[in-house]
Amino acid sequence: MKTTMSSLSAFGDSSFQTPSKSRTRQGCHSAGPNVSGDHINLASSSMPSFPILQRSSEEKILYSDRLTLERQKLTVCPIIDGEEHLRLLNFQHNFITRIQNISNLQRLIFLDLYDNQIEEISGLSTLRSLRVLLLGKNRIKKISNLENLKSLDVLDLHGNQITRIENVSHLCDLRVLNLARNLLSHVDNLNGLDSLTELNLRHNQITFVRDVDNLPSLQRLFLSFNNISTFESVCCLADSSSLSDITFDGNPIAQESWYKHTILQNMMQLRQLDMKRVTEEERRMASVVAKKEEEKKRESHKQSLLKEKKRLTINNVARKWDLQQHRTPDFATNQDTKVADSPSQDPSQLHGSAVVSAFPEETGSLDSGLTSALQGLSVTDTHLVEVDGDTLSLYGSGALESLDRNWSVQTAGMVTTVSFTFIEFDEIVQVLPKLKMKFPNSLHLKFKETNLVMLQQFNALAQLRRVDQLTIDPQGNPVVNFTLWKYYVLFRLSHFSMQKINGTEVTQNDMIMAERLFGILAHVASSELPQYRLISILGDARKKQFRYLLETKGKKPGLVNEENNDSKRLVGENTNRATLNYTTREFYNERLEEIKEKKKFCKMYMEDLVKEATDINMKNEALQKLWPQMFIELVRDAVIEIRNKNSYMKLCLQQITDQK
């Protein structure tokens, strides 16, 4: 029979055809000669509803081993007596609902029940010699009752309602299995089909494939028009050494740009893909593309590793910061908000969108999986530096040391935005001169969790070359709670002509309001300072201008032209702003301690003065009460003493003599 049968067509899902001596009608699924109803007598039997098949002696002699009953409008299988020698039986295109009355045909090799209404596979247990079973285009919902058909070579179940592959593992001699146009969602349970060479699974709902690599003889696999969207869902095919012909057309995966290269790279043994011969040039291109994809995959793994490393580092920096600020960190809720693109133990640069990390590369192959690689990450890093495009981001106070390194001219010139996070502002101030020199094009400063608590801290930014934008995140910067903080910034840093603050455009009205609010304050501050102190505050560039102002104060107004008046006004404004200088928190705290000590001393001194004055007042009040009586006694004693003038004189002379 192998020499007289052809396997399933690569394109068709129909039943098999066998050649016959007589010409069959075109388009008919015939399994033998076209025997018309005139040559076959279906007589009624004693069994109700089962006709009896009767053939003439000439027909039995002419077609002794085959019988064709196609298109006879049969609803049941007729009783076939005296035909035990039949090897081929064709019931195509009828209305049969159940397989029955053929158990006596134990020599049957070929059974064709294509295009009927059969709902269950049954009545075949005695047909142990059956090699070909065609049950396409029926209503079968489950593969079953094939236990005794161990010699089966071809099984056609296309066009049914089967939802899973099962009960076929014992068919070790099966070469062709057709399950096209069913309701399969996945492929598995194929173990044991050691002889299977062709598997047709077209027009199903398959999303993934398993166990195909366990089919040692499989050569042709047809998966066209399913729901396969990724190579991972069919990756077992790459382990099949015998597969030479496969189709994926009509699947979502076939629309991907990497589809052909990926398939050919992972299935080097293929000779045909989607019914087209695979050329050596296609294999070579697939190999090149696959290498590039592998490099991308490795880079993706590396970036994922770097991203996780950065997340851990930022969390460590945040934890340390919160401990310094005496806070209770809640990393469970804030962890995802602190994730960025790449980490580093030491300062690292990121040119464009690629990360160049300073910490050691992970050991081992990335192919072992990202999860295992992440287990070796260090979680002790306390600072992070990265350059992402035009933004330099610094996390933790240790990151400020990176400004001492030798930055390339290209990288330094590319940076226009500098972001500070989890760093004390007073520490940032100390490196502002370096920032001005290292990154001359930096125009945008961002501060988050930097302890900006006083307006006077903004004075430190005046030493920079230029600032166009300023972003103060409310998180960790209480100064933004002051209603007028933006106006103070605009007033103090007016020489920068700032364009945006916290993403909001600065208008002319804002500048006018800032001048009205803080102009008088600055004038008072500069007026109250001694001349030597004012000169020490001003920079060298403006000391001469200030002296010029002092020299011109004594001149008559007519001697100073209008241009000098404008210059004087401008220089005066700058001078007023310069007096609003910056002091560090340590110095400010020291001043507070000093002021506190002075207050304490003054308080004690005043208390002593008040106590002394109180005592004097009490003595004075006592004297006022005693004085009248004392005066009377003094007058009385004086009158008594001088009543006898001679005696008084003698007494006085005697006292003088005694004193000598």
Side-chain angles (χ1 to χ4, degrees), residues 325-336:
Q325 306 303 315
H326 305 290
R327 300 177 186 170
T328 303
D330 184 8
F331 296 102
T333 57
N334 296 330
Q335 184 175 10
D336 294 337

Side-chain angles (χ1 to χ4, degrees), residues 625-650:
K625 293 178 179 180
L626 297 175
W627 176 248
Q629 183 63 31
M630 291 175 61
F631 182 75
I632 293 173
E633 291 178 358
L634 288 173
V635 172
R636 186 192 62 185
D637 292 342
V639 171
I640 293 173
E641 287 179 353
I642 65 174
R643 182 174 56 184
N644 188 344
K645 184 176 181 182
N646 292 328
S647 299
Y648 179 72
M649 292 177 63
K650 289 180 180 180

